[in-house]
């Protein structure tokens, strides 16, 4: 073939209950279509496309006023993802409250002297720094009960430690609020099931926040798979690796329900795989502590293998390997390697949206380069010729959800 190129094992059956809500665990058996805008290709591969502005405008035209929201938890998820995304969509959302046990920077108690005060309420004085970060209408609360009692709040976004999700979400649903739950939605399936039942009883929306479905590289891969470019898939490898030879001291490194690397990163990889391939026939998992740091009961490494039997649409056995490793010396880190009967899709480096929001906050979302990957992170597509011998290789430009 000629290449032209510019611990413990658990064999788990039926780990995903047949009755599981698609909002929590698995997407539809048949993959849903991509947004209509994602259709253009170039000779180099897939090009950056138009934004979802038209869809947002359609939603805005139907709505009488923006959804009034509160974000609970200002850690990495709350401050790093939910705040920038919600506050950048002012035509859809009004962020009235951010709730956390510790006040964010830019506010002080009302009885303290504050330099640069621009607004105040009954408890706190707010500076321009606070409003630039969270929005002009936003106020800070330490008491979650005040959110539940406020009849103006329609949506509660919960981005607290996983073990608290169930109680926070249950209280919000009982108060008549819609709920967006950061992944993983709960520590156990039974808790997720009970929340789903309660949401139906209350006629409220309960949804899981799976932001990695909108990563540029995943959207690109999804389009490639649905077009059949690679042929029937035999091997799907998805990694979320890092090199970290120290402990950060967060709750995720403690032996608490929902702690550990698997609960932290595993839901991203599992959700993406289920979203396209559906329910596997068998699951094998290795979840362990390899660094011998901290509590040995807290995992820092996982390998999950989803086994798929042949189907009418894919005559081959498919193996999906999902990996999260904290001693991976590689830059950029491996992200995807997907092999089919006609070709291979390879991708290194993480999606850029998280880093962009960390640097620019809500302003990142409106910039033309939001979600646009640098050329050195483009994927590589290798396709075998009709003769079954010659392989051609090309770089693939990642799809972008936002940007021009």
């Amino acid at each position: 073939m000629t290449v032209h190129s510019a611990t413990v094992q658990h064999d788990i059956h039926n780990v995903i209950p047949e009755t599981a809500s698609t909002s929590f665990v698995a997407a539809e058996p048949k993959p849903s279509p991509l947004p209509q805008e994602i259709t253009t290709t170039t000779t180099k591969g897939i090009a950056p496309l138009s934004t979802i502005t038209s869809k947002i405008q359609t939603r805005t035209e139907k709505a009488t006023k923006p959804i009034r929201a509160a974000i609970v938890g200002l850690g990495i998820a709350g401050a790093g993802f939910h705040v920038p995304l919600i506050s950048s969509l002012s035509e859809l959302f009004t962020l009235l409250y951010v709730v956390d046990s510790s006040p964010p920077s830019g506010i002080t108690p009302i009885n303290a002297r504050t330099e640069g005060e621009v607004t105040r309420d009954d408890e706190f004085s707010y500076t321009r720094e606070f409003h630039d970060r969270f929005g002009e209408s936003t106020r800070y609360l330490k008491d979650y009960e005040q959110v539940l009692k406020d009849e103006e709040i329609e949506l509660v976004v919960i981005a607290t430690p996983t073990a608290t999700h169930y109680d926070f979400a249950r209280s919000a649903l009982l108060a008549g609020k819609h709920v967006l739950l950061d992944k993983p939605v709960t520590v156990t399936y039974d808790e997720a099931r009970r929340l789903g039942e309660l949401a139906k009883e209350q006629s409220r929306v309960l949804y899981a926040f799976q932001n990695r479905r909108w990563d540029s590289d995943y959207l690109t891969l999804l389009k490639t798979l649905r077009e059949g470019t690679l042929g029937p898939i035999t091997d799907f490898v998805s990694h979320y690796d890092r090199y970290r030879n120290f402990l950060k001291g967060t709750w995720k490194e403690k032996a608490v329900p929902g702690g550990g690397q698997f609960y932290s990163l595993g839901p991203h990889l599992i959700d993406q795989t289920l979203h396209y391939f559906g329910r596997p026939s068998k699951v094998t998992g290795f979840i362990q502590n390899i660094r011998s740091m901290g509590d040995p009961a807290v995992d820092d490494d996982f390998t999950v293998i989803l086994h798929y039997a042949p189907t009418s649409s894919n005559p081959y056995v498919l193996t999906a390997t999902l990996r999260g490793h904290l001693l991976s010396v590689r830059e950029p880190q491996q992200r995807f390697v997907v092999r089919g009967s006609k070709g291979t899709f390879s991708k290194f480096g993480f999606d850029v949206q998280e880093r962009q929001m960390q640097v620019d906050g809500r302003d990142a979302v409106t910039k033309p380069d939001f979600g646009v990957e640098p050329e050195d992170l483009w994927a590589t597509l290798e396709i075998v010729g009709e003769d079954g011998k010659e392989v051609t290789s090309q770089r693939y430009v990642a799809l972008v959800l936002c940007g021009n």
Side-chain angles (χ1 to χ4, degrees):
M1 179 177 291
T2 305
V3 178
H4 299 287
S5 180
T7 329
V8 178
Q9 178 178 359
H10 301 280
D11 194 11
I12 310 168
H13 295 267
N14 300 319
V15 298
I16 304 169
E18 290 291 341
T19 57
S21 165
T22 56
S23 296
F24 297 128
V25 183
E28 308 80 15
K30 294 182 179 180
S32 57
L34 283 165
Q36 187 63 40
E37 296 92 341
I38 302 176
T39 56
T40 305
T41 60
T42 69
T43 55
K44 285 187 176 181
I46 302 174
L49 304 173
S50 63
T51 71
I52 56 169
T53 303
S54 60
K55 292 191 174 185
I56 292 176
Q57 290 173 340
T58 300
R59 162 65 177 82
T60 307
E61 290 168 0
K62 294 179 180 179
T64 56
K65 56 184 177 180
I67 297 170
R68 297 178 294 277
I71 295 175
V72 184
L74 292 178
I76 293 175
F81 288 97
H82 295 291
V83 167
L85 292 173
I86 285 181
S87 59
S88 69
L89 297 171
S90 57
E91 65 271 50
L92 298 180
F93 300 96
T94 297
L95 182 58
L96 293 185
Y97 300 118
V98 290
V99 185
D100 199 271
S101 57
S102 300
S105 59
I107 65 174
T108 57
I110 198 69
N111 58 0
R113 185 173 182 273
T114 302
E115 294 291 337
E117 175 186 308
V118 293
T119 60
R120 61 169 52 197
D121 58 23
D122 294 339
E123 294 186 66
F124 296 99
S125 169
Y126 300 85
T127 67
R128 174 50 49 197
E129 175 191 359
F130 177 89
H131 288 303
D132 285 346
R133 183 181 182 190
F134 297 106
E136 298 299 327
S137 304
T138 308
R139 296 292 182 266
Y140 164 75
L141 291 176
K142 189 173 184 178
D143 184 7
Y144 179 54
E145 291 297 322
Q146 291 182 251
V147 172
L148 301 180
K149 293 176 182 178
D150 192 327
E151 295 184 357
E152 283 198 336
I153 294 297
E154 302 169 274
L155 171 67
V156 176
V157 180
I158 298 173
T160 56
T162 306
T164 67
H165 284 187
Y166 176 77
D167 288 337
F168 278 129
R170 182 176 182 275
S171 298
L173 291 170
L174 289 173
K177 317 297 185 186
H178 302 290
V179 175
L180 179 65
L181 264 176
D182 206 71
K183 62 79 205 167
V185 288
T186 53
V187 173
T188 68
Y189 165 70
D190 186 61
E191 288 179 336
R193 178 187 56 78
R194 280 183 277 156
L195 287 179
E197 292 172 352
L198 179 59
K200 290 181 180 179
E201 293 171 4
Q202 297 290 109
S203 298
R204 290 296 178 266
V205 174
L206 171 68
Y207 205 79
F209 181 69
Q210 292 285 7
N211 59 296
R212 297 295 171 187
R213 288 191 186 186
W214 302 105
D215 281 1
S216 300
D217 51 15
Y218 178 65
L219 289 175
T220 306
L221 174 59
L222 207 60
K223 185 173 189 296
T224 304
L225 292 174
R226 290 174 179 172
E227 289 178 340
T229 305
L230 304 179
I233 304 303
T234 59
D235 189 36
F236 180 90
V237 179
S238 177
H239 280 239
Y240 210 118
D241 300 330
R242 296 167 173 163
Y243 182 76
R244 185 178 295 159
N245 60 352
F246 59 91
L247 296 177
K248 296 182 68 176
T250 70
W251 66 267
K252 295 180 182 180
E253 296 173 337
K254 297 178 180 179
V256 297
Q261 179 82 339
F262 179 65
Y263 266 96
S264 177
L265 298 178
H268 289 311
L269 307 187
I270 293 172
D271 178 72
Q272 288 180 340
T273 308
L274 296 180
H275 186 224
Y276 182 74
F277 294 109
R279 188 184 307 279
S281 56
K282 186 171 67 172
V283 178
T284 306
F286 305 82
I287 301 174
Q288 55 200 345
N289 184 311
I290 63 168
R291 296 180 300 173
S292 299
M293 292 182 180
D295 193 316
V298 181
D299 65 274
D300 59 10
D301 178 87
F302 66 86
T303 302
V304 174
I305 304 171
L306 307 183
H307 307 262
Y308 291 86
T311 65
S312 57
S313 59
N314 188 350
Y316 300 110
V317 171
L318 165 62
T319 302
T321 304
L322 315 179
R323 189 87 168 91
H325 189 70
L326 280 182
L327 284 179
S328 176
V329 181
R330 179 70 167 83
E331 186 61 40
Q333 296 281 359
Q334 178 181 321
R335 186 62 186 90
F336 291 109
V337 177
V338 183
R339 300 177 178 89
S341 62
K342 297 180 181 179
T344 297
F345 177 99
S346 304
K347 175 68 170 65
F348 290 82
F350 295 124
D351 182 81
V352 297
Q353 295 174 58
E354 177 177 357
R355 177 60 181 163
Q356 289 172 327
M357 287 189 288
Q358 288 175 346
V359 173
D360 296 320
R362 59 178 176 171
D363 292 336
V365 182
T366 60
K367 291 186 176 182
D369 65 344
F370 183 63
V372 179
E373 294 188 332
E375 187 172 349
D376 61 330
L377 294 184
W378 290 359
T380 299
L381 182 64
E382 297 166 278
I383 300 295
V384 67
E386 294 183 2
D387 60 2
K389 296 180 180 180
E390 186 172 3
V391 174
T392 58
S393 176
Q394 64 181 15
R395 301 300 299 278
Y396 245 35
V397 185
L399 288 173
V400 290
L401 180 64
C402 297
N404 294 325

mmCIF file of all heavy atoms in Angstrom, residues 266-297:
data_model
loop_
_atom_site.group_PDB
_atom_site.id
_atom_site.type_symbol
_atom_site.label_atom_id
_atom_site.label_comp_id
_atom_site.label_asym_id
_atom_site.label_seq_id
_atom_site.Cartn_x
_atom_site.Cartn_y
_atom_site.Cartn_z
ATOM 1 N N GLY A 266 -15.721 11.435 31.816
ATOM 2 C CA GLY A 266 -16.374 10.311 31.153
ATOM 3 C C GLY A 266 -17.700 10.654 30.492
ATOM 4 O O GLY A 266 -17.969 10.210 29.365
ATOM 5 N N PRO A 267 -18.576 11.458 31.144
ATOM 6 C CA PRO A 267 -19.862 11.777 30.515
ATOM 7 C C PRO A 267 -19.740 12.438 29.150
ATOM 8 O O PRO A 267 -20.585 12.234 28.279
ATOM 9 C CB PRO A 267 -20.513 12.721 31.536
ATOM 10 C CG PRO A 267 -19.944 12.295 32.838
ATOM 11 C CD PRO A 267 -18.509 11.943 32.532
ATOM 12 N N HIS A 268 -18.692 13.255 28.937
ATOM 13 C CA HIS A 268 -18.507 13.890 27.631
ATOM 14 C C HIS A 268 -18.296 12.837 26.547
ATOM 15 O O HIS A 268 -18.940 12.858 25.491
ATOM 16 C CB HIS A 268 -17.281 14.815 27.656
ATOM 17 C CG HIS A 268 -17.450 16.050 28.460
ATOM 18 N ND1 HIS A 268 -18.539 16.883 28.338
ATOM 19 C CD2 HIS A 268 -16.654 16.618 29.415
ATOM 20 C CE1 HIS A 268 -18.412 17.909 29.163
ATOM 21 N NE2 HIS A 268 -17.274 17.765 29.828
ATOM 22 N N LEU A 269 -17.368 11.921 26.795
ATOM 23 C CA LEU A 269 -17.013 10.932 25.786
ATOM 24 C C LEU A 269 -18.144 9.938 25.572
ATOM 25 O O LEU A 269 -18.429 9.539 24.431
ATOM 26 C CB LEU A 269 -15.735 10.206 26.206
ATOM 27 C CG LEU A 269 -14.521 11.089 26.548
ATOM 28 C CD1 LEU A 269 -13.283 10.221 26.770
ATOM 29 C CD2 LEU A 269 -14.263 12.112 25.459
ATOM 30 N N ILE A 270 -18.784 9.517 26.654
ATOM 31 C CA ILE A 270 -19.895 8.569 26.536
ATOM 32 C C ILE A 270 -21.058 9.197 25.778
ATOM 33 O O ILE A 270 -21.651 8.577 24.883
ATOM 34 C CB ILE A 270 -20.343 8.101 27.931
ATOM 35 C CG1 ILE A 270 -19.239 7.259 28.583
ATOM 36 C CG2 ILE A 270 -21.630 7.291 27.844
ATOM 37 C CD1 ILE A 270 -19.498 6.918 30.032
ATOM 38 N N ASP A 271 -21.391 10.433 26.119
ATOM 39 C CA ASP A 271 -22.519 11.092 25.462
ATOM 40 C C ASP A 271 -22.279 11.249 23.968
ATOM 41 O O ASP A 271 -23.181 10.995 23.155
ATOM 42 C CB ASP A 271 -22.763 12.461 26.094
ATOM 43 C CG ASP A 271 -23.888 13.214 25.408
ATOM 44 O OD1 ASP A 271 -25.055 12.820 25.592
ATOM 45 O OD2 ASP A 271 -23.601 14.179 24.668
ATOM 46 N N GLN A 272 -21.088 11.676 23.574
ATOM 47 C CA GLN A 272 -20.799 11.831 22.148
ATOM 48 C C GLN A 272 -20.935 10.502 21.409
ATOM 49 O O GLN A 272 -21.464 10.450 20.287
ATOM 50 C CB GLN A 272 -19.391 12.387 21.962
ATOM 51 C CG GLN A 272 -19.248 13.849 22.339
ATOM 52 C CD GLN A 272 -17.836 14.358 22.134
ATOM 53 O OE1 GLN A 272 -16.871 13.596 22.059
ATOM 54 N NE2 GLN A 272 -17.683 15.676 22.042
ATOM 55 N N THR A 273 -20.476 9.426 22.031
ATOM 56 C CA THR A 273 -20.534 8.122 21.384
ATOM 57 C C THR A 273 -21.972 7.625 21.266
ATOM 58 O O THR A 273 -22.404 7.161 20.198
ATOM 59 C CB THR A 273 -19.684 7.104 22.164
ATOM 60 O OG1 THR A 273 -18.373 7.633 22.368
ATOM 61 C CG2 THR A 273 -19.562 5.796 21.400
ATOM 62 N N LEU A 274 -22.730 7.711 22.348
ATOM 63 C CA LEU A 274 -24.133 7.295 22.310
ATOM 64 C C LEU A 274 -24.945 8.172 21.368
ATOM 65 O O LEU A 274 -25.891 7.705 20.727
ATOM 66 C CB LEU A 274 -24.742 7.343 23.709
ATOM 67 C CG LEU A 274 -24.175 6.391 24.765
ATOM 68 C CD1 LEU A 274 -24.892 6.589 26.088
ATOM 69 C CD2 LEU A 274 -24.313 4.943 24.309
ATOM 70 N N HIS A 275 -24.588 9.427 21.291
ATOM 71 C CA HIS A 275 -25.316 10.370 20.439
ATOM 72 C C HIS A 275 -25.328 9.911 18.989
ATOM 73 O O HIS A 275 -26.326 10.069 18.280
ATOM 74 C CB HIS A 275 -24.660 11.751 20.559
ATOM 75 C CG HIS A 275 -25.378 12.845 19.843
ATOM 76 N ND1 HIS A 275 -24.735 13.793 19.086
ATOM 77 C CD2 HIS A 275 -26.689 13.146 19.759
ATOM 78 C CE1 HIS A 275 -25.620 14.623 18.577
ATOM 79 N NE2 HIS A 275 -26.808 14.261 18.967
ATOM 80 N N TYR A 276 -24.234 9.318 18.541
ATOM 81 C CA TYR A 276 -24.196 8.859 17.144
ATOM 82 C C TYR A 276 -24.476 7.371 17.001
ATOM 83 O O TYR A 276 -25.306 6.956 16.185
ATOM 84 C CB TYR A 276 -22.847 9.176 16.496
ATOM 85 C CG TYR A 276 -22.842 8.744 15.044
ATOM 86 C CD1 TYR A 276 -23.540 9.489 14.095
ATOM 87 C CD2 TYR A 276 -22.213 7.574 14.632
ATOM 88 C CE1 TYR A 276 -23.595 9.089 12.771
ATOM 89 C CE2 TYR A 276 -22.272 7.162 13.305
ATOM 90 C CZ TYR A 276 -22.963 7.919 12.381
ATOM 91 O OH TYR A 276 -23.026 7.508 11.079
ATOM 92 N N PHE A 277 -23.810 6.548 17.794
ATOM 93 C CA PHE A 277 -23.893 5.099 17.590
ATOM 94 C C PHE A 277 -25.037 4.440 18.346
ATOM 95 O O PHE A 277 -25.383 3.297 18.056
ATOM 96 C CB PHE A 277 -22.570 4.430 18.008
ATOM 97 C CG PHE A 277 -21.407 4.803 17.141
ATOM 98 C CD1 PHE A 277 -20.408 5.626 17.617
ATOM 99 C CD2 PHE A 277 -21.318 4.337 15.837
ATOM 100 C CE1 PHE A 277 -19.329 5.972 16.820
ATOM 101 C CE2 PHE A 277 -20.244 4.681 15.022
ATOM 102 C CZ PHE A 277 -19.252 5.506 15.512
ATOM 103 N N GLY A 278 -25.613 5.121 19.328
ATOM 104 C CA GLY A 278 -26.712 4.529 20.075
ATOM 105 C C GLY A 278 -26.231 3.570 21.156
ATOM 106 O O GLY A 278 -25.081 3.582 21.574
ATOM 107 N N ARG A 279 -27.126 2.688 21.581
ATOM 108 C CA ARG A 279 -26.880 1.796 22.701
ATOM 109 C C ARG A 279 -25.980 0.623 22.299
ATOM 110 O O ARG A 279 -26.242 -0.055 21.314
ATOM 111 C CB ARG A 279 -28.209 1.246 23.213
ATOM 112 C CG ARG A 279 -28.132 0.449 24.491
ATOM 113 C CD ARG A 279 -29.504 -0.126 24.841
ATOM 114 N NE ARG A 279 -30.507 0.936 24.863
ATOM 115 C CZ ARG A 279 -30.704 1.754 25.887
ATOM 116 N NH1 ARG A 279 -29.949 1.641 26.954
ATOM 117 N NH2 ARG A 279 -31.634 2.676 25.834
ATOM 118 N N PRO A 280 -24.913 0.371 23.052
ATOM 119 C CA PRO A 280 -24.037 -0.768 22.736
ATOM 120 C C PRO A 280 -24.646 -2.078 23.222
ATOM 121 O O PRO A 280 -25.594 -2.091 24.013
ATOM 122 C CB PRO A 280 -22.761 -0.440 23.509
ATOM 123 C CG PRO A 280 -23.258 0.318 24.703
ATOM 124 C CD PRO A 280 -24.427 1.132 24.215
ATOM 125 N N SER A 281 -24.084 -3.183 22.763
ATOM 126 C CA SER A 281 -24.547 -4.495 23.217
ATOM 127 C C SER A 281 -23.839 -4.919 24.497
ATOM 128 O O SER A 281 -24.361 -5.734 25.260
ATOM 129 C CB SER A 281 -24.302 -5.545 22.122
ATOM 130 O OG SER A 281 -22.934 -5.578 21.753
ATOM 131 N N LYS A 282 -22.657 -4.355 24.754
ATOM 132 C CA LYS A 282 -21.906 -4.708 25.950
ATOM 133 C C LYS A 282 -20.949 -3.580 26.299
ATOM 134 O O LYS A 282 -20.504 -2.836 25.417
ATOM 135 C CB LYS A 282 -21.121 -6.008 25.720
ATOM 136 C CG LYS A 282 -20.417 -6.537 26.963
ATOM 137 C CD LYS A 282 -19.845 -7.943 26.738
ATOM 138 C CE LYS A 282 -18.720 -7.928 25.734
ATOM 139 N NZ LYS A 282 -18.042 -9.267 25.652
ATOM 140 N N VAL A 283 -20.651 -3.439 27.594
ATOM 141 C CA VAL A 283 -19.731 -2.399 28.061
ATOM 142 C C VAL A 283 -18.680 -3.034 28.954
ATOM 143 O O VAL A 283 -19.000 -3.834 29.843
ATOM 144 C CB VAL A 283 -20.472 -1.301 28.859
ATOM 145 C CG1 VAL A 283 -19.489 -0.258 29.372
ATOM 146 C CG2 VAL A 283 -21.546 -0.652 28.010
ATOM 147 N N THR A 284 -17.424 -2.703 28.713
ATOM 148 C CA THR A 284 -16.328 -3.130 29.582
ATOM 149 C C THR A 284 -15.621 -1.884 30.107
ATOM 150 O O THR A 284 -15.352 -0.963 29.339
ATOM 151 C CB THR A 284 -15.321 -4.011 28.825
ATOM 152 O OG1 THR A 284 -16.012 -5.102 28.219
ATOM 153 C CG2 THR A 284 -14.256 -4.544 29.764
ATOM 154 N N GLY A 285 -15.334 -1.857 31.403
ATOM 155 C CA GLY A 285 -14.729 -0.663 31.963
ATOM 156 C C GLY A 285 -13.551 -0.951 32.875
ATOM 157 O O GLY A 285 -13.544 -1.945 33.615
ATOM 158 N N PHE A 286 -12.536 -0.091 32.788
ATOM 159 C CA PHE A 286 -11.397 -0.098 33.704
ATOM 160 C C PHE A 286 -11.338 1.295 34.327
ATOM 161 O O PHE A 286 -11.080 2.265 33.616
ATOM 162 C CB PHE A 286 -10.080 -0.366 32.980
ATOM 163 C CG PHE A 286 -10.062 -1.629 32.149
ATOM 164 C CD1 PHE A 286 -10.598 -1.643 30.874
ATOM 165 C CD2 PHE A 286 -9.498 -2.790 32.646
ATOM 166 C CE1 PHE A 286 -10.570 -2.787 30.097
ATOM 167 C CE2 PHE A 286 -9.457 -3.944 31.884
ATOM 168 C CZ PHE A 286 -10.000 -3.949 30.613
ATOM 169 N N ILE A 287 -11.573 1.397 35.610
ATOM 170 C CA ILE A 287 -11.563 2.684 36.293
ATOM 171 C C ILE A 287 -10.653 2.538 37.504
ATOM 172 O O ILE A 287 -10.911 1.705 38.380
ATOM 173 C CB ILE A 287 -12.986 3.095 36.717
ATOM 174 C CG1 ILE A 287 -13.889 3.190 35.477
ATOM 175 C CG2 ILE A 287 -12.968 4.424 37.461
ATOM 176 C CD1 ILE A 287 -15.340 3.439 35.800
ATOM 177 N N GLN A 288 -9.576 3.345 37.566
ATOM 178 C CA GLN A 288 -8.556 3.081 38.574
ATOM 179 C C GLN A 288 -7.762 4.338 38.917
ATOM 180 O O GLN A 288 -7.875 5.361 38.247
ATOM 181 C CB GLN A 288 -7.592 2.011 38.049
ATOM 182 C CG GLN A 288 -6.960 2.368 36.712
ATOM 183 C CD GLN A 288 -6.403 1.169 35.975
ATOM 184 O OE1 GLN A 288 -6.235 0.109 36.548
ATOM 185 N NE2 GLN A 288 -6.111 1.332 34.698
ATOM 186 N N ASN A 289 -6.967 4.238 39.969
ATOM 187 C CA ASN A 289 -6.043 5.292 40.357
ATOM 188 C C ASN A 289 -4.641 4.841 39.973
ATOM 189 O O ASN A 289 -4.119 3.876 40.535
ATOM 190 C CB ASN A 289 -6.122 5.544 41.876
ATOM 191 C CG ASN A 289 -5.248 6.710 42.325
ATOM 192 O OD1 ASN A 289 -4.075 6.801 41.970
ATOM 193 N ND2 ASN A 289 -5.817 7.600 43.115
ATOM 194 N N ILE A 290 -4.008 5.515 39.003
ATOM 195 C CA ILE A 290 -2.701 5.076 38.515
ATOM 196 C C ILE A 290 -1.554 5.912 39.068
ATOM 197 O O ILE A 290 -0.401 5.476 39.043
ATOM 198 C CB ILE A 290 -2.638 5.101 36.970
ATOM 199 C CG1 ILE A 290 -2.820 6.517 36.446
ATOM 200 C CG2 ILE A 290 -3.656 4.143 36.376
ATOM 201 C CD1 ILE A 290 -2.489 6.666 34.979
ATOM 202 N N ARG A 291 -1.844 7.126 39.571
ATOM 203 C CA ARG A 291 -0.762 8.004 40.018
ATOM 204 C C ARG A 291 -0.372 7.776 41.471
ATOM 205 O O ARG A 291 0.628 8.323 41.926
ATOM 206 C CB ARG A 291 -1.166 9.469 39.834
ATOM 207 C CG ARG A 291 -1.378 9.886 38.392
ATOM 208 C CD ARG A 291 -1.777 11.351 38.315
ATOM 209 N NE ARG A 291 -3.030 11.606 39.052
ATOM 210 C CZ ARG A 291 -3.535 12.814 39.263
ATOM 211 N NH1 ARG A 291 -2.896 13.892 38.820
ATOM 212 N NH2 ARG A 291 -4.676 12.958 39.924
ATOM 213 N N SER A 292 -1.183 6.996 42.190
ATOM 214 C CA SER A 292 -0.944 6.771 43.627
ATOM 215 C C SER A 292 -0.866 8.085 44.384
ATOM 216 O O SER A 292 -0.040 8.275 45.277
ATOM 217 C CB SER A 292 0.344 5.964 43.837
ATOM 218 O OG SER A 292 0.253 4.705 43.214
ATOM 219 N N MET A 293 -1.740 9.012 43.998
ATOM 220 C CA MET A 293 -1.821 10.316 44.664
ATOM 221 C C MET A 293 -3.173 10.454 45.339
ATOM 222 O O MET A 293 -4.196 10.004 44.821
ATOM 223 C CB MET A 293 -1.653 11.455 43.650
ATOM 224 C CG MET A 293 -0.279 11.554 43.047
ATOM 225 S SD MET A 293 -0.184 12.966 41.913
ATOM 226 C CE MET A 293 1.512 12.823 41.373
ATOM 227 N N GLY A 294 -3.175 11.111 46.497
ATOM 228 C CA GLY A 294 -4.426 11.332 47.188
ATOM 229 C C GLY A 294 -5.062 10.042 47.665
ATOM 230 O O GLY A 294 -4.387 9.036 47.897
ATOM 231 N N ASP A 295 -6.371 10.071 47.792
ATOM 232 C CA ASP A 295 -7.120 8.896 48.241
ATOM 233 C C ASP A 295 -7.105 7.841 47.141
ATOM 234 O O ASP A 295 -7.520 8.116 46.015
ATOM 235 C CB ASP A 295 -8.555 9.299 48.567
ATOM 236 C CG ASP A 295 -9.315 8.229 49.328
ATOM 237 O OD1 ASP A 295 -9.199 7.046 48.947
ATOM 238 O OD2 ASP A 295 -10.023 8.579 50.283
ATOM 239 N N PRO A 296 -6.640 6.609 47.435
ATOM 240 C CA PRO A 296 -6.583 5.577 46.388
ATOM 241 C C PRO A 296 -7.959 5.174 45.851
ATOM 242 O O PRO A 296 -8.050 4.558 44.790
ATOM 243 C CB PRO A 296 -5.900 4.390 47.095
ATOM 244 C CG PRO A 296 -6.101 4.640 48.549
ATOM 245 C CD PRO A 296 -6.098 6.126 48.718
ATOM 246 N N ALA A 297 -9.023 5.555 46.574
ATOM 247 C CA ALA A 297 -10.376 5.234 46.112
ATOM 248 C C ALA A 297 -10.854 6.193 45.024
ATOM 249 O O ALA A 297 -11.892 5.953 44.404
ATOM 250 C CB ALA A 297 -11.345 5.263 47.291
#
